[in-house]
Structure formats: C-alpha cells, structure tokens
Amino acid sequence: MMNEKYDFLIVGTGLFGAVSAYLLKKKGYSILMIDKRDHIGGNVYTENVRGINVHKYGAHIFHTDNKEVWQFVNSFVEFNRYTNSPVACYKGHLYNLPFNMNTFYQMWGVKTPEEARKKIEGQKNEYHVNSPQNLEEQAISLVGKDIYEILIKGYTQKQWGRKCSELPAFIIKRLPVRFTFDNNYFNDKYQGVPNGGYTLLIEKMIEGCNVHLSIDYFDHKEELDACANRVIYTGEIDKYFGYKYGHLQYRSVSFETELLENVENYQGNAVVNYTDVETPYTRIIEHKHFEYGTQPDTVISREYSKEWLPGDEPYYPVNDDKNMELYAKYKALADAQEKVFFGGRLAEYKYYDMHKVIERAMEMVAHF
C-alpha cells in the first residue's frame, strides 16, 4: 500500500469519504482509502443479520429536497419509499410524531385544527415567555406545557444528560407543529432507505479504490501522508491537531442490539421514542421495518445517550458557544493546511443530515 503513490488519501470510508472517492475517481484521480474500523461505511454501515439490514450505529433515513442528490444516490442502488413516522411512548401511552392532529387527539381528544390551536395557545399564554432563556422556556413558548412535559422534557434530558432548564434555548429553535393528520416526520420531497442497506451503497461508491481497513491513520500518519499528493480527512478535527487547544465535546450513544427469534414483529414501527425519564433508553429501533421485512425473526436496538469521554465514539457535537469558539481555533489551523482538506461531521464539528454531507462533498470535489 505504502509503496505506491496516489493522488488522494481519504481517511474514513463513511458517506463523506465515499462520495468524495467516487467523484474524484470519475475525474481520473487515483484513490487510497483507509478506515480505523474493520468495515466500510462509517456510521451508515448496515450489517446483515438473518436477512435484516441492521443499522449498526443508529437509524439512518435518507431525505432531501435536492433532486440532484436524490438521483445521485439512486444511481448506485434503488431507494425504497420508506417514510419516517416515529411513535412516542410516554409511560405506556402512545403518541404520533411529529406533533400533528393525531398527537393532539391522543393528548386532548380535540378533533379540529381550531380546537388544537386554542389548546396550545392557551397553554403558551399562561407562561408569557417573551425571551426564552433556556430550552424549557423555549419549548413551552412554542408548543405549551403538555406537549413539553410529555413528549419533549424527558427525552431531551436523556439525550443531553442535563435538565432542560440548564440547556440553551437555541437547541430547539423551532418545533414542527402541524394542524393536519400527517405523521410524515420530514417535509422533504424525496425520502427512503436503500434496498439492501447502506453498506451496499458505500460499496458501489468506492468500487475501484484501494481500500484498507483496521488502520489507524495516526499510527502511520507520516508514511500515509507521503503516499498521496493530497489528503481528505474525515475524522475529529481536534484529534488531527493533537488536541492542541483541548477536546471538543460530543454526546455519545451506545446500543443494546438483540436478535428476537421467531418474533415476526416486535413493535410495529421502525422507531419508537421513549419520552419518560424512567425508561433509561431514548428509543427502540426495529430494523426490518426500514425495508418492509417479512423475515420470521426480528432485530431490535435499544439506544442509550451518554456523555462522551475520550475513547468513546463521538456522535453529536455540543455546539454551544464554548465549543464553537474552540472549533474556530481548530478550523483556522485546518484552513492553513495546503495538502489536507477537512470534511464531514467530525472534521467540521457539525451535525449533518446525509444529503447535506453529499452536497458538501460535491462542493469540495468541484474545486479539485
């Protein structure tokens, strides 16, 4: 591997790295890809278990309004028509998400948009929050007390490991409230999941590249850098610079995945959120429903949110003022690099939906 010379070394075989590899390869560049994990795909990796494509690192549902991006991903593998319609469970009671007329009927028994609006406005007006100072005040000012208490408070506290009154208001800038009987979580025109799983999508993208797994970039950085004229780095930006200014903060996630033999249908939905604080996990994912599976068995994953510690897998950037100031310092170092280009969720310290990752990779490669 290291005896050859490549145009590009791509560190990470996740979505950003894979899209970059495909587009660069089309331009005639030679590509070397490495990944510290023993599989390709980064966090979109799916593992086949009894014919079920298990989303190993959490549910990934593709959605976009960008026709070019939709056509791009479908040129590799056909996407199905899966529509994200999660269900919330609060102390045994089920509610539809996002907040819509089904939710309001389940909560208050109201049947018309006018009744629902009055109920929400009445609760909002009780609090007179003109300038929300924290997430709790922000949420109540948007949807009232009942929805906040039952569907937001416990879930958010588990997700972030802090009381809502201690979280900044900007985390919930707006909440989707629909006065229609519509359980479609996303408003995007195009949405679905690849038939055969995301691993198949990544495999098609990186076909023809020289790919090596179970290799930590930092264990061989000098030799690997010498292999290529340019480097695309998709890992943690602070790690690249040796944590020179300190660690950026993340929330991490752990999964408890279970094969249920001879259970055809465990919960009747791909995603069920648990919004009470008494339930330790945030949600249960039943993977077969992403592809309308009819297998005799099923696989479920309980998802637990936790504080990130060095060595844990970083999932969600904590984009508060303190961390964004720290990131700005690292970004200045990254921008000064002549040979190395930084892209993706970890390298840009930004929560990205998948279609935005693809748009960003397209934008970067267009400059080469």
Side-chain angles (χ1 to χ4, degrees), residues 227-275:
C227 286
N229 296 324
R230 286 176 280 194
V231 177
I232 292 177
Y233 175 79
T234 69
E236 302 102 299
I237 189 171
D238 52 347
K239 185 174 183 178
Y240 184 88
F241 294 107
Y243 307 108
K244 180 176 181 178
Y245 302 120
H247 285 275
L248 290 164
Q249 285 183 296
Y250 295 89
R251 289 292 291 173
S252 192
V253 181
S254 63
F255 301 93
E256 195 178 80
T257 298
E258 187 178 355
L259 168 66
L260 303 178
E261 295 183 302
N262 300 315
V263 177
E264 189 178 341
N265 188 353
Y266 176 75
Q267 63 185 17
N269 206 49
V271 181
V272 177
N273 293 350
Y274 286 79
T275 61

Side-chain angles (χ1 to χ4, degrees), residues 62-65 69 188 353-360:
F62 199 92
H63 58 97
T64 184
D65 275 327
V69 167
D188 300 290
D353 286 327
M354 286 181 283
H355 65 294
K356 291 295 182 183
V357 171
I358 293 172
E359 289 173 8
R360 176 74 181 95

